[in-house]
Amino acid sequence: MREQWGSQTGFILAAIGSAVGLGNIWRFAYVAGENGGGAFLLVYLVIVLTLGLPLVVAEIAIGKRSRVDGVTAFERLAPASPWRRVGWLGVAGSALILAYYSVIAGWALRYFSAAASGTLWDRPPGGFAASFRAFIAHPLEPLGWHLGMMAISMAIVVAGVARGIERSCLWLMPMLAFIVLLLAGFALTLPGSSGGVAFLFMPQWSAVFDPRVVLAAMGQAFFSIGLGMAVYITYGGYMKPEQRIVGSAAVIVAGDTCFAIVAGLAIFPAVFAMGGNPAAGAELAFITLPDIFLAMPGGKMLANAFFLLLSAAALTSMISLLEVPVAALMQRAGLRRRTAVLAVGGAALLGGVAPALGYGPLAWLNVTGAPLLEEVDHVVSNLVLPLAGLGLALFFGWVLPAGTARDLAGMRGLAWALLLWAIRWLAPVFIIGLMLFRLLAG
């Protein structure tokens, strides 16, 4: 008998947990900082509403109807079409992301451990920058934390959908919401924090139409919401017949977006109040923020909360990234859950070795000169996930008969017409146009 969610709330929290992760805190903060703050946020919100929500509805609808994994779902709905293979992109994307995502999650767990024990504040002469770079260049330490995060994720997923994934998210997600609200509330009380609020919410209108800002916003939306990873197809396959699709999708997208904005309110006001650089890039969480925490009143306690937030958010996403290929392996190879988890988790552990050591012993292993982890993230965010999203849009909008797609979504009237238009026309044109721009711009 196929596993099911215990409740509608459990499904929604698990789905929000899959979306809320490093993408909302670590990645959203530095991508927004590098792309103008308010301009980026405005474009991001438009993309989430016009592309993100319709594609989440499509993914959940496909999963709920087919009740199988992310590969088999397409094969069952269109067995005679070459488009039945499109599901492989999403499952492959999840597996690829899991391998290097676990490495970054390990960094977060290590920083939480160091903040809680007090060793984080024992800085070498070069400060937090030197400390962070020494850590990621170490020949063994990043591997140990990568292993730790993978082991925790595997232990949760092996317990099953209701007893493992749903139960963990039922207590993790409220905890994450409390911590991020606490951090945002404190940051907004700091003198000078208004500069961070203005940076996040007052766009420079000329930047809104910059294709580079739009491309960054699209990549962030796909990464943060989890589009193109087959997560919602997989999770949708565990829904009960009476559970609603459109309302659930709206709550999931709204929850993920609100979490990213509140996380921005926890970071940017503090950065501005303490004279930091909002465009510090990927180092913002691990170099800039520790300096800020050390300088502010009660900062060490806040650092504990922040890195706990970062670690737990990464965990909820890793759970979903692991479940996608596990479900596919169980369905297609007939493996038991425990065996599938060990196989996928073991492969992800091995796959994460090169990215984990790409700042140290394997720094030579790259194509463009950037660290391997950053190269893989670039390819996945700007190529694999957009292609998977494009395949999903074309499949749902054009390959499936309109009546079938409508019945899958459970929609009628103007709402259905708008959603179908967004999936059929807006999503493909938008994704193809921005991918071409990226290719031509180098």
Side-chain angles (χ1 to χ4, degrees), residues 51 54-55 58-59 62 74 83 86 222 228 385-400 405 419-429 431:
L51 295 184
L55 291 177
E59 279 205 39
I62 289 172
F74 290 92
W83 288 91
V86 76
F222 273 76
L385 295 185
L387 279 177
L390 177 62
L392 170 68
L394 295 175
F395 181 88
F396 193 86
W398 295 101
V399 176
L400 291 179
L419 182 130
L420 184 62
W421 176 81
I423 293 175
R424 274 188 170 181
W425 298 104
L426 187 61
V429 170
I431 295 171

Side-chain angles (χ1 to χ4, degrees), residues 27-59:
R27 201 176 190 278
F28 179 85
Y30 85 76
V31 174
E34 290 176 335
N35 290 277
F40 171 86
L41 178 60
L42 180 60
V43 176
Y44 177 79
L45 291 174
V46 171
I47 291 174
V48 165
L49 181 63
T50 58
L51 295 184
L53 180 58
L55 291 177
V56 170
V57 170
E59 279 205 39

Side-chain angles (χ1 to χ4, degrees), residues 43 49 60 67 82 100 151 235 263 280 298 313 324 417:
V43 176
L49 181 63
I60 295 176
R67 299 186 59 76
Y100 75 84
Y235 277 15
V324 169

Side-chain angles (χ1 to χ4, degrees), residues 156-419:
I156 292 172
V157 174
V158 81
V161 173
R163 291 186 301 168
I165 300 172
E166 182 174 356
R167 185 176 296 175
S168 63
C169 289
L170 281 172
W171 68 267
L172 278 173
M173 292 312 300
M175 180 189 76
L176 293 180
F178 173 77
I179 292 174
V180 76
L181 287 169
L182 176 69
L183 288 170
F186 182 86
L188 291 171
T189 66
L190 296 172
S193 62
S194 59
V197 177
F199 177 78
L200 186 60
F201 291 112
M202 295 181 65
Q204 294 179 345
W205 294 104
S206 59
V208 169
F209 303 101
D210 185 338
R212 289 165 294 188
V213 173
V214 178
L215 181 69
M218 186 186 75
Q220 175 62 25
F222 273 76
F223 192 94
S224 177
I225 298 174
L227 295 172
M229 302 179 193
V231 169
Y232 299 112
I233 296 175
T234 304
Y235 277 15
Y238 301 132
M239 292 176 73
K240 295 178 179 178
E242 66 273 14
Q243 290 179 324
R244 301 176 301 276
I245 293 175
V246 178
S248 298
V251 173
I252 292 164
V253 171
D256 174 73
T257 304
C258 289
F259 198 100
I261 293 173
V262 176
L265 286 173
I267 293 173
F268 290 120
V271 169
F272 274 80
M274 305 307 295
N277 178 15
E283 298 174 344
L284 181 65
F286 300 104
I287 296 177
T288 306
L289 286 178
D291 259 324
I292 291 171
F293 286 133
L294 189 60
M296 69 169 57
K300 292 183 179 180
M301 290 301 297
L302 291 174
N304 290 340
F306 175 78
F307 288 112
L308 174 61
L309 169 70
L310 204 59
S311 304
L315 178 62
T316 59
S317 292
M318 284 183 64
I319 291 168
S320 64
L321 291 171
L322 178 58
E323 177 62 21
V324 169
V326 163
L329 204 55
M330 290 170 63
Q331 178 77 37
R332 303 183 70 82
L335 298 181
R336 299 181 64 180
R337 174 170 286 273
R338 181 180 297 274
T339 306
V341 170
L342 289 173
V344 175
L349 274 173
L350 293 176
V353 170
L357 301 182
Y359 295 88
L362 298 182
W364 55 270
L365 185 61
N366 59 72
V367 177
T368 65
L372 181 62
L373 186 151
E374 295 174 24
E375 287 187 334
V376 176
D377 177 59
H378 178 81
V379 170
V380 171
S381 299
N382 293 290
L383 182 62
V384 176
L385 295 185
L387 279 177
L390 177 62
L392 170 68
L394 295 175
F395 181 88
F396 193 86
W398 295 101
V399 176
L400 291 179
T404 302
R406 182 193 62 214
D407 291 341
L408 289 179
M411 298 176 68
R412 294 290 187 275
L414 180 61
W416 165 246
L418 290 173
L419 182 130

